[in-house]
Amino acid sequence: QQHFDFPYQSVYLYMSSVAAVLLWHAIALLVVSSLASGSSLNGTKGRRGEVIFAHNGAVATDDRRCSRIGMDVLREGGSAVDAAVAAAFCLGVVSPASSGLGGGAFMLLRFSSGVAKAFDMRETAPSLASKNMYGGNTTLKAKGGLSVAVPGELAGLHEVWTQHGKLPWKRLVKPAEILARRGFKISPYLHMQMEQTESDILEDKGLHSIFAPNGKILKIGDICYNKKLAETLRTISEFGPQPFYGGLIGRNLVKDVQNAGGILTMKDLKSYSVKQKEPLSIDVLGLKILGMPPPSGGPPMMLLLNILAQYDLPSGLSGALGVHREIEALKHVFAVRMNLGDPDFVNITEVLSDMLSRRFAKVLKNDINDNKTFGPSHYGDKWGQIYDHGTSHISIIDPERNAISMTTTVNAYFGSKILSPSTGIVLNNEMDDFSMPRNVSKDVPPPAPANFIMPGKRPLSSMSPTIALKDGKLKAVVGASGGAMIIAGTSEVLLNHFVKGMDPFSSVTAPRVYHQLIPNVVNYENWTTVNGDHFEVPANIREALKRKGHVLQGLAGGTICQFIVLDILESSTKNKGIGKLVAVSDPRKGGFPAGF
C-alpha cells in the first residue's frame, strides 16, 4: 500500500536542477527498455507504472489495455486522432460502466501547427422529449428507457477521423472488437462499479447476460464476453457509423430502448449531428489554457483558475488557507455555472463572457473571506445544481506533437442501467443531466431554466478536457473523469504542477478536495483504492477548515486524471533523445499510460 500525502506537506519541486534532468534521462532509458520488453513497472521499488517517460508519443487512459492499443496505433504511424479513436473504442468494451458507443464525449484537438478544434459529440434530448416529461419523477429521469438521450460518440469519432485520421477506420475499431469477442478480464475498478450496481445488473436482461451470466456478477480477473457488441463493432468497422445512425444497428437499438419504455426514434439517430466549435482560451498562470465551449465544464474551470490566479502565487495557495480559498472559489464557480446551457438553445453570451473575464474573477476573489465560509445564498445560489456522474478520460500526444484531450461518458455507472440485448451497447442516462421543473421549498433554489429539456438540446456537463500551452508551444494535456468533481480535479492537477512546482505524478496523486455549493459540504478524499493506495487529506488541514466553518465529509472516490507533460528538455536543441514526454495515469482507477 502506498500513502499519498497532501501537497502542502510534501511539495516536490519539478526537475529544476541539472542533476534531476540527468536522473530523468537514466530513468527514461530504463522505462523505454522495460516497455519494449512488455514488463510492468508497477510494484517496482521506488517507481510506479502509472508514470512513464517517452520520446515519441504517449497515451494515458483509465485502462492499460486501451493505452497500449492507442500507443500501437501511434507506432504504426497513426495520428493522435487515430490513437484516440482506437482507445475510445477499447474503453467502451473494457470499461463499459463509464463510456462507450451508447454515450457521448467532448474532444479538444490541437495540432503542432497551432490550429485547435473542439468537437462536441454530447448526447441530445430525443425529439419527443419535453420540459415536463418526467412530471417531477427523479427516478424516471435517472434510470430506464426514458433516461436515454441520443448517443453521439460514434458520430463524433468518425467525423474527427474523416477529417484528420491517417490509418484505416477498420484498423482502429478492430482491437476493441477482438476484446469483446475473445473476452477481457474484469478489472478491480470495473468490479467495484459492478458491485455498486449489482441489483440493477441483475434486473436488466442485457446487463445480466454479460456481467452475471451465471446468476452472480463476475469476479476480478474473470473473463467477460460481449459477442453482440463484437458483432456491432465488426459492422461499424466495415461500414462506419451508417448502420448505427441509419441502419440495422440503429433499428435494433431503438427497439430495445422503446421496449424499456424510452422515446428514442430512428429520426433522432438520423438527425444527430456533431458540433465542431472554436475552443475557448484564456491566459492565466503564465499559460494559455484551451478548453471546451459550453455546455461543457470548460468555462467553470477557467473561472476557477482566473479567481485563484489573483492571489500571490505560489504562497497564496499553500497550506490550509490555500485549500480554503480554493473551496470558496469553487462555491462561487458553481453558483455561476448553473446559468449556462446549450448555446444553440439559450443565450449565454453574457455569462460566458463573465466566466472568461479576469475582471469578473477579481470581483469574486474580493468576496472571499480568509477567515470563514458562508451558506449557499452568500454566493448567489440562484439555481439548483445538477450532479453528473462517471466518465472516462483520454490524453494523447503524438510524435508530431499533435495533442488530444477527450472525455467520454455514459453518465452514471452503466448509464441508464440498460444494455441493449440486440447490439451489446450500454445506453447512457444523459437525460439526468438536464434540470427539471419541480416545486421546491423556500430554502432550496429552483431548477435552472437554461438547462431545461428541449428536443435536440444538449444537457449541461462538467467534462473539461484541457490543453495547456506556454509561449505558444504545447506544454500539457489533462482531463478527468468524475462527474461534477471534474472541474475541481482538473484544476487542482494544473495548479499542483504549474503553480506549486510538483512533478507530474505527484500533481496527480496529491489528495483532492471538492465543493459543489449545494449541499454546503466539503468532500475530501479519504479512501483506499481497489489497488490498495490510500489517499487522505491530513487531519491538520481538516481541522483548520472546520475552524473556518466548513462542514467536512470524507469521500471514497472523486476524480481520475490523465496528465501528459512535455517536459523541460523539449526546448533543448542538443537533446534528440529520451525523456521528452511524461505521462501519468491516475492510480485511483488502476489505469496505466503507454508510450515509446
Side-chain angles (χ1 to χ4, degrees):
Q1 186 189 85
Q2 186 157 349
H3 188 100
F4 290 102
D5 290 319
F6 207 57
Y8 311 116
Q9 288 194 322
S10 51
V11 175
Y12 305 88
L13 290 173
Y14 173 51
M15 295 303 162
S16 54
S17 69
V18 174
V21 171
L22 292 171
L23 177 64
W24 273 41
H25 273 285
I27 293 173
L29 283 164
L30 284 168
V31 172
V32 171
S33 61
S34 156
L35 275 172
S37 68
S39 67
S40 163
L41 291 178
N42 199 27
T44 307
K45 188 170 170 41
R47 284 202 311 278
R48 301 269 308 215
E50 294 96 341
V51 57
I52 61 155
F53 306 83
H55 169 56
N56 293 297
V59 179
T61 76
D62 287 342
D63 191 285
R64 181 204 303 268
R65 294 163 286 195
C66 304
S67 298
R68 285 188 171 167
I69 281 169
M71 178 188 70
D72 289 343
V73 165
L74 294 182
R75 275 186 186 276
E76 285 175 36
S79 65
V81 165
D82 294 321
V85 170
F89 276 122
C90 170
L91 286 167
V93 174
V94 302
S95 186
S98 302
S99 70
L101 293 175
F106 291 125
M107 180 190 282
L108 198 59
L109 171 56
R110 191 218 182 236
F111 297 99
S112 54
S113 65
V115 173
K117 296 181 178 184
F119 289 89
D120 177 341
M121 44 191 105
R122 180 83 165 142
E123 302 92 329
T124 58
S127 55
L128 296 173
S130 63
K131 184 168 77 172
N132 296 299
M133 64 185 279
Y134 299 109
N137 187 326
T138 52
T139 305
L140 288 176
K141 184 166 162 280
K143 175 182 158 183
L146 279 179
S147 72
V148 180
V150 186
E153 179 179 281
L154 176 58
L157 291 174
H158 193 264
E159 175 61 32
V160 179
W161 172 82
T162 301
Q163 290 188 32
H164 304 294
K166 287 184 180 178
L167 299 188
W169 174 254
K170 191 171 184 176
R171 161 65 185 88
L172 307 178
V173 184
K174 198 72 182 171
E177 182 205 327
I178 291 168
L179 280 166
R181 190 180 305 283
R182 296 184 188 169
F184 60 93
K185 283 186 179 178
I186 298 286
S187 70
Y189 198 88
L190 175 56
H191 186 256
M192 179 276 293
Q193 293 172 308
M194 289 162 61
E195 280 186 322
Q196 289 199 14
T197 50
E198 183 170 6
S199 59
D200 295 308
I201 288 171
L202 296 176
E203 262 176 44
D204 179 72
K205 178 185 159 192
L207 290 171
H208 191 297
S209 67
I210 304 298
F211 301 105
N214 301 314
K216 288 185 175 178
I217 60 167
L218 295 170
K219 296 184 173 69
I220 296 170
D222 282 354
I223 305 297
C224 180
Y225 302 90
N226 191 338
K227 300 288 176 65
K228 288 288 188 186
L229 181 59
E231 279 307 303
T232 294
L233 288 166
R234 189 190 61 77
T235 304
I236 287 167
S237 76
E238 297 277 354
F239 304 105
Q242 199 282 329
F244 186 102
Y245 290 97
L248 184 59
I249 294 170
R251 286 196 292 277
N252 284 332
L253 200 66
V254 164
K255 181 188 77 201
D256 289 344
V257 172
Q258 291 182 357
N259 286 344
I263 53 174
L264 188 69
T265 64
M266 278 309 292
K267 179 187 162 198
D268 293 324
L269 292 176
K270 284 176 180 169
S271 60
Y272 182 84
S273 67
V274 181
K275 303 276 182 186
Q276 185 179 321
K277 303 177 176 183
E278 283 287 314
L280 300 178
S281 78
I282 58 165
D283 294 304
V284 66
L285 308 173
L287 305 165
K288 184 178 282 295
I289 299 288
L290 303 181
M292 265 319 282
S296 80
M301 191 204 72
M302 290 174 161
L303 175 57
L304 179 63
L305 293 176
N306 261 335
I307 294 171
L308 296 175
Q310 308 284 329
Y311 290 101
D312 289 331
L313 300 176
S315 61
L317 292 182
S318 66
L321 178 58
V323 181
H324 168 74
R325 286 169 170 171
E326 186 193 328
I327 292 164
E328 292 301 291
L330 273 168
K331 291 169 84 169
H332 278 296
V333 165
F334 273 85
V336 178
R337 170 197 186 222
M338 290 313 298
N339 293 292
L340 291 173
D342 184 341
D344 290 343
F345 290 79
V346 190
N347 184 351
I348 55 167
T349 309
E350 196 176 328
V351 66
L352 181 58
S353 173
D354 280 345
M355 293 183 91
L356 303 181
S357 147
R358 284 186 194 173
R359 194 178 70 251
F360 182 69
K362 190 165 191 178
V363 170
L364 298 183
K365 182 261 183 186
N366 289 340
D367 187 65
I368 292 174
N369 185 318
D370 280 349
N371 299 311
K372 62 178 178 177
T373 189
F374 302 92
S377 60
H378 174 85
Y379 307 87
D381 64 332
K382 194 174 176 186
W383 309 115
Q385 294 292 325
I386 53 156
Y387 304 101
D388 43 332
H389 303 275
T391 68
S392 198
H393 185 82
I394 300 168
S395 292
I396 298 173
I397 297 178
D398 73 14
E400 292 176 10
R401 297 308 180 242
N402 304 308
I404 281 181
S405 186
M406 176 184 180
T407 316
T408 171
T409 187
V410 291
N411 202 17
Y413 289 169
F414 295 103
S416 60
K417 313 297 188 281
I418 297 169
L419 184 144
S420 154
S422 54
T423 66
I425 294 171
V426 174
L427 288 151
N428 72 81
N429 69 325
E430 222 63 62
M431 295 299 287
D432 198 38
D433 281 358
F434 283 111
S435 302
M436 173 176 70
R438 64 182 190 278
N439 296 321
V440 292
S441 66
K442 64 178 173 54
D443 299 331
V444 179
N451 192 41
F452 282 165
I453 297 167
M454 289 177 76
K457 187 176 179 181
R458 286 157 156 81
L460 202 54
S461 171
S462 300
M463 296 190 290
S464 311
T466 303
I467 293 173
L469 314 175
K470 191 166 181 66
D471 304 323
K473 292 191 170 73
L474 178 65
K475 191 63 190 161
V477 181
V478 68
S481 57
M485 292 176 275
I486 289 171
I487 294 160
T490 306
S491 302
E492 287 175 35
V493 171
L494 285 169
L495 291 165
N496 286 343
H497 184 61
F498 290 108
V499 174
K500 298 168 189 167
M502 298 169 71
D503 66 73
F505 184 65
S506 303
S507 298
V508 169
T509 55
R512 300 196 260 269
V513 293
Y514 307 98
H515 207 297
Q516 290 160 237
L517 186 62
I518 301 168
N520 192 17
V521 171
V522 177
N523 285 296
Y524 69 93
E525 277 196 287
N526 185 6
W527 65 311
T528 300
T529 69
V530 288
N531 298 304
D533 290 323
H534 187 74
F535 295 85
E536 183 176 353
V537 175
N540 64 321
I541 301 278
R542 303 196 313 254
E543 287 306 314
L545 292 176
K546 284 178 189 170
R547 287 196 295 273
K548 294 180 192 291
H550 293 285
V551 176
L552 272 66
Q553 191 171 310
L555 178 71
T559 47
I560 314 293
C561 295
Q562 313 299 326
F563 190 32
I564 305 180
V565 177
L566 211 52
D567 88 21
I568 49 176
L569 300 178
E570 179 63 23
S571 58
S572 165
T573 50
K574 293 178 187 173
N575 174 59
K576 301 288 183 201
I578 307 218
K580 291 189 174 182
L581 295 171
V582 188
V584 181
S585 284
D586 203 320
R588 291 165 176 87
K589 199 170 181 174
F592 290 85
F596 69 104

